[in-house]
């Protein structure tokens, strides 16, 4: 019996052909997706263009592209108009630079700020009247000067009343004055109180303080410690700081001016202040 010839099985395609076919399918899907996303609604585009032209004056005279007829379509020969184009792009008409509603809003803000400032001044004035009455009751006329701002009422005490030259130790004769001031401050214990020490510009020599900054800080701290120890003031509501020679209120070239600059200021902040 004759033997049948054995047929070889068909050879599969090369492996790279399968990968290539998959890649072509992916590229086809990718470009179809790009085409679908690039479809532009002409009506919507015109609406957007009109909106930009009205708000920012980008598209003018019916142009459909930025710079149409100025740079893009005119070519390189129009580059000498580059400065004019760049300066004019995005400019609104003179009437649109400050719209009426914006100007009106700014006016309302300014008016509101003026009213708030006026209310702050009024409250400081009312507080100053009460402080003046308390000063008269405690017989401190001529010892304390009063000033007001929209933030606080300020009591100023001359440094010579409280301290010897170059010292931050309170004088014995100043303690009755501080006792009366403490009684007065207790009436405003809910307000923030600030104690600031100031000096003249004469350099320090022969004392434990190396400069006027340390001396002014030591003096404000001495007043703070005495008031906290002898009143019911809340320490968290009382601040103290030394400002040295940097905020003079008089001319340091005269003895009288230097005496005025050596001072301690006590500020009582009103309820509308930023503190």
């Amino acid at each position: 019996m004759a033997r049948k010839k054995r047929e070889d099985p068909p050879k599969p395609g090369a492996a790279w052909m399968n990968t290539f076919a998959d890649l072509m399918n992916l590229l086809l899907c990718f470009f179809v997706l790009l085409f679908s996303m690039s479809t532009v609604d002409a009506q919507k585009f015109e609406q957007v263009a009109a909106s930009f032209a009205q708000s920012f004056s980008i598209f003018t005279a019916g142009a459909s592209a930025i710079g149409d007829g100025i740079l893009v379509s005119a070519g390189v020969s129009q580059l000498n108009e580059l400065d004019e184009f760049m300066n004019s792009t995005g400019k609104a008409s003179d009437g649109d630079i400050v719209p009426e509603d914006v100007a009106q809003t700014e006016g309302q803000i300014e008016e509101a700020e003026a009213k708030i400032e006026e209310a702050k001044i009024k409250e400081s004035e009312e507080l100053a009247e009460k402080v003046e009455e308390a000063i008269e009751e405690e017989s401190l006329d001529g010892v304390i000067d009063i000033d007001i701002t929209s933030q606080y009422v300020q009591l100023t005490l001359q440094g010579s009343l409280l301290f010897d030259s170059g010292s931050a130790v309170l004088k014995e004769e100043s303690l009755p004055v501080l006792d009366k001031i403490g009684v007065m401050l207790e009436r405003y214990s809910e307000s923030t109180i600030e104690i600031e020490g100031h000096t003249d510009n004469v350099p320090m020599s022969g004392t434990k303080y190396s400069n006027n900054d340390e001396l002014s800080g030591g003096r404000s701290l001495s007043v703070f410690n005495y008031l906290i120890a002898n009143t019911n003031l809340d320490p968290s509501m009382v601040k103290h700081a030394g400002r040295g020679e940097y905020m003079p209120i008089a001319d340091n070239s005269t003895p009288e001016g230097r005496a005025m600059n050596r001072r301690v200021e006590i500020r009582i902040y009103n309820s509308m202040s930023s503190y």
Side-chain angles (χ1 to χ4, degrees):
M1 185 177 211
R3 297 178 62 182
K4 292 184 179 180
K5 187 177 180 180
R6 184 177 179 181
E7 296 181 357
D8 296 331
K11 295 181 178 181
W16 67 268
M17 294 181 66
N18 295 329
T19 303
F20 182 76
D22 291 340
L23 178 62
M24 291 300 100
N25 287 332
L26 290 173
L27 286 174
L28 177 61
C29 293
F30 177 68
F31 283 111
V32 169
L33 180 62
L34 288 180
F35 177 77
S36 64
M37 294 175 62
S38 64
T39 303
V40 179
D41 188 330
Q43 184 177 2
K44 289 184 178 180
F45 177 78
E46 290 178 0
Q47 293 175 353
V48 173
S51 176
F52 273 102
Q54 182 178 2
S55 301
F56 303 103
S57 297
I58 293 179
F59 302 134
T60 58
S64 59
I66 297 177
D68 186 17
I70 299 179
L71 294 176
V72 179
S73 62
V76 180
S77 62
Q78 297 296 322
L79 286 178
N80 58 347
E81 299 181 15
L82 178 61
D83 290 340
E84 180 182 354
F85 167 70
M86 294 301 294
N87 290 331
S88 63
T89 301
K91 279 188 177 180
S93 62
D94 293 340
D96 294 334
I97 293 177
V98 182
E100 292 183 1
D101 55 344
V102 174
Q104 183 177 3
T105 301
E106 291 178 350
Q108 291 174 345
I109 293 175
E110 292 177 356
E111 183 179 356
E113 290 176 345
K115 289 182 178 180
I116 292 174
E117 189 71 12
E118 182 179 351
K120 288 181 177 180
I121 289 290
K122 184 177 180 180
E123 183 163 349
S124 289
E125 289 176 346
E126 293 176 354
L127 178 59
E129 289 180 0
K130 296 177 181 179
V131 171
E132 287 177 349
E133 291 176 359
I135 288 175
E136 291 178 0
E137 291 175 3
E138 300 295 338
S139 301
L140 294 175
D141 294 343
V143 178
I144 299 176
D145 294 328
I146 297 180
D147 295 295
I148 68 169
T149 70
S150 61
Q151 298 287 320
Y152 54 77
V153 174
Q154 178 175 288
L155 313 179
T156 302
L157 293 82
Q158 292 302 316
S160 58
L161 170 68
L162 303 174
F163 308 100
D164 290 325
S165 177
S167 172
V169 178
L170 291 167
K171 291 182 178 181
E172 287 294 329
E173 57 266 32
S174 70
L175 301 184
V177 175
L178 287 178
D179 289 336
K180 294 179 179 180
I181 292 176
V183 172
M184 181 177 60
L185 293 178
E186 284 181 331
R187 303 179 185 180
Y188 314 104
S189 58
E190 295 182 358
S191 302
T192 297
I193 297 173
E194 184 175 26
I195 303 169
E196 278 192 356
H198 300 265
T199 67
D200 57 27
N201 65 347
V202 177
M204 298 297 301
S205 62
T207 66
K208 69 175 184 178
Y209 297 102
S210 59
N211 54 54
N212 285 318
D213 293 337
E214 293 181 2
L215 176 61
S216 63
R219 287 178 170 178
S220 66
L221 181 59
S222 293
V223 175
F224 169 83
N225 287 336
Y226 185 84
L227 291 176
I228 296 302
N230 294 276
T231 67
N232 294 320
L233 293 174
D234 183 356
S236 66
M237 299 296 291
V238 184
K239 305 191 303 180
H240 59 89
R243 305 305 298 273
E245 63 194 66
Y246 308 111
M247 300 182 66
I249 58 174
D251 188 0
N252 273 312
S253 63
T254 65
E256 294 79 12
R258 290 193 295 270
M260 293 179 64
N261 291 331
R262 297 190 295 268
R263 67 197 189 278
V264 171
E265 296 173 347
I266 301 176
R267 296 171 182 169
I268 307 170
Y269 285 85
N270 64 47
S271 60
M272 298 183 66
S273 69
S274 56
Y275 286 100

